[in-house]
Amino acid sequence: MLSELGRDIRAFEAMVEALPIYDEWHEAQNVLVWRESIQADMDEGACPTANERRILARSDAALAALRDLIVQRFPEAFDCNVDIPTAYWWWHLDKGPQARPPAITPALVS
């Protein structure tokens, strides 16, 4: 049986996969909000399984790989990122590929 965090991670995976077909900026922004919610749950102690960590890492990598598409098609999705910590790198994709520090990935897949 999936935990709530597990369901959220799988939903995030599906949302990232669907990003290329989204038409509205708020759809793209919902992906970023969903990712923030997952991070908040983990910060509060929710612990993903090893498989969920792999899915999250793979989905994060896919999100980062879609950076150009998201920034060009949905620039409005980043209008509210001024006060968001840079640790929430997905909100700062508009600042370039360096928005996602490489050090984040190993922690998610270990």
Side-chain angles (χ1 to χ4, degrees):
M1 186 161 124
L2 281 177
S3 67
E4 186 175 335
L5 179 61
R7 284 189 301 272
D8 286 349
I9 289 171
R10 284 186 168 68
F12 174 65
E13 175 185 37
M15 293 168 85
V16 170
E17 288 175 6
L19 256 170
I21 63 169
Y22 288 166
D23 292 322
E24 303 290 330
W25 69 268
H26 59 84
E27 294 173 303
Q29 192 174 57
N30 284 340
V31 177
L32 308 178
V33 170
W34 203 269
R35 180 60 178 87
E36 183 172 345
S37 175
I38 291 168
Q39 190 63 50
D41 288 347
M42 292 190 318
D43 290 348
E44 292 175 6
C47 187
T49 67
N51 188 51
E52 291 165 352
R53 285 192 306 270
R54 281 190 292 277
I55 292 168
L56 185 58
R58 189 173 54 238
S59 298
D60 280 349
L63 179 62
L66 290 168
R67 186 192 76 76
D68 288 340
L69 175 127
I70 299 165
V71 170
Q72 290 173 9
R73 193 182 298 172
F74 311 112
E76 306 91 340
F78 302 97
D79 287 347
C80 67
N81 69 359
V82 199
D83 295 325
I84 297 175
T86 56
Y88 291 177
W89 58 267
W90 49 91
W91 282 111
H92 300 282
L93 291 171
D94 59 326
K95 293 176 179 65
Q98 71 279 5
R100 182 175 185 228
I104 290 176
T105 303
L108 293 173
V109 294
S110 59

